[in-house]
Amino acid sequence: EDKVVQSPLSLVVHEGDTVTLNCSYEVTNFRSLLWYKQEKKAPTFLFMLTSSGIEKKSGRLSSILDKKELFSILNITATQTGDSAVYLCAVYLIGNQFYFGTGTSLTVIP
Amino acid sequence: DGGITQSPKYLFRKEGQNVTLSCEQNLNHDAMYWYRQDPGQGLRLIYYSQIVNDFQKGDIAEGYSVSREKKESFPLTVTSAQKNPTAFYLCASSSGYSGAYEQYFGPGTRLTVT
């Protein structure tokens, strides 16, 4: 059975802290891994990772994939209250199917 | 503006009634998806469709039905057989072509059944 596990389930940090969110997966027919941010509505796309070891970066957010160990991390540096959201990890499988993890709820306190 | 629309935003129904949730996209995407999200949980796949007139069951298809008669439209019917239908429903689409895996999401429909 395909499985995507995110950790931690929830996290509370202070503004300025750096956080690392984890996503591990056990799936067949892996094509890519995606990260989304969800703030009480539709998820918005952050990153798509296909190759191991290549960091994707956007401002204070960065992500990397390890296809040998089957995991990805999402780093957020210098966190701000606007980063408070649920962060979802999804794997994209051959056959155009996406499989989501349960998400990590991040709360950033001023 | 290209995007995905879902209507209505909030929907209330009485137990035992079927209800249809609308999803329309003008992105010219081939693939469309329906997910259900419960509080504190991730997205669970209900149905997906890769092309017109074809669709596949996801992990939690029981009690739901879909149709894909047009490329732009992928309505979801929540039937009375769905034991716990109250949830947030998200529709998504993707181009389906290699190298373009990103999914675009609609704003969601929050269904409450009493």
Side-chain angles (χ1 to χ4, degrees):
Chain A
E1 185 183 320
D2 295 328
K3 191 164 59 172
V4 177
V5 178
Q6 291 187 245
S7 64
L9 289 180
S10 65
L11 196 53
V12 180
V13 301
H14 288 95
E15 264 191 323
D17 287 350
T18 293
V19 298
T20 298
L21 310 182
N22 303 290
C23 176
S24 64
Y25 60 93
E26 290 178 35
V27 300
T28 53
N29 301 315
F30 175 89
R31 289 183 85 170
S32 64
L33 186 143
L34 300 95
W35 285 96
Y36 290 86
K37 177 182 182 182
Q38 186 178 24
E39 299 171 270
K40 293 190 193 297
K41 46 183 173 26
T44 53
F45 173 78
L46 294 174
F47 297 111
M48 183 183 76
L49 303 151
T50 308
S51 302
S52 272
I54 299 174
E55 186 184 53
K56 291 273 181 105
K57 201 168 168 62
S58 175
R60 297 177 293 103
L61 278 66
S62 63
S63 184
I64 197 160
L65 174 67
D66 185 327
K67 287 169 76 173
K68 185 179 173 189
E69 300 297 329
L70 307 183
F71 78 91
S72 172
I73 59 172
L74 174 69
N75 278 320
I76 309 175
T77 60
T79 51
Q80 302 170 358
T81 54
D83 295 327
S84 295
V86 173
Y87 290 84
L88 295 166
C89 168
V91 292
Y92 179 59
L93 309 176
I94 292 171
N96 290 334
Q97 188 170 346
F98 292 80
Y99 205 88
F100 282 79
T102 53
T104 292
S105 175
L106 173 65
T107 303
V108 181
I109 300 170
Chain B
D1 278 334
I4 302 178
T5 56
Q6 289 185 245
S7 61
K9 193 172 178 180
Y10 298 96
L11 190 54
F12 298 88
R13 279 293 182 270
K14 294 229 181 277
E15 206 172 298
Q17 292 179 332
N18 290 357
V19 60
T20 297
L21 281 57
S22 164
C23 177
E24 305 276 333
Q25 55 100 357
N26 60 5
L27 300 166
N28 200 33
H29 283 170
D30 285 310
M32 296 186 75
Y33 308 79
W34 273 106
Y35 295 93
R36 170 184 172 137
Q37 188 174 34
D38 293 284
Q41 298 209 19
L43 278 61
R44 291 185 291 166
L45 182 65
I46 305 172
Y47 269 98
Y48 67 108
S49 166
Q50 297 185 62
I51 55 171
V52 174
N53 291 322
D54 185 53
F55 46 83
Q56 288 81 41
K57 291 182 180 180
D59 295 328
I60 55 166
E62 187 176 343
Y64 299 97
S65 66
V66 293
S67 62
R68 187 88 187 275
E69 296 175 3
K70 297 187 298 181
K71 188 174 185 177
E72 316 80 66
S73 178
F74 191 40
L76 173 75
T77 296
V78 184
T79 75
S80 56
Q82 168 49 234
K83 302 226 182 314
N84 187 16
T86 295
F88 186 52
Y89 290 88
L90 283 162
C91 178
S93 71
S94 71
S95 72
Y97 293 115
S98 176
Y101 309 147
E102 179 185 341
Q103 273 189 321
Y104 294 83
F105 285 87
T109 291
R110 192 166 296 279
L111 173 64
T112 303
V113 176
T114 57

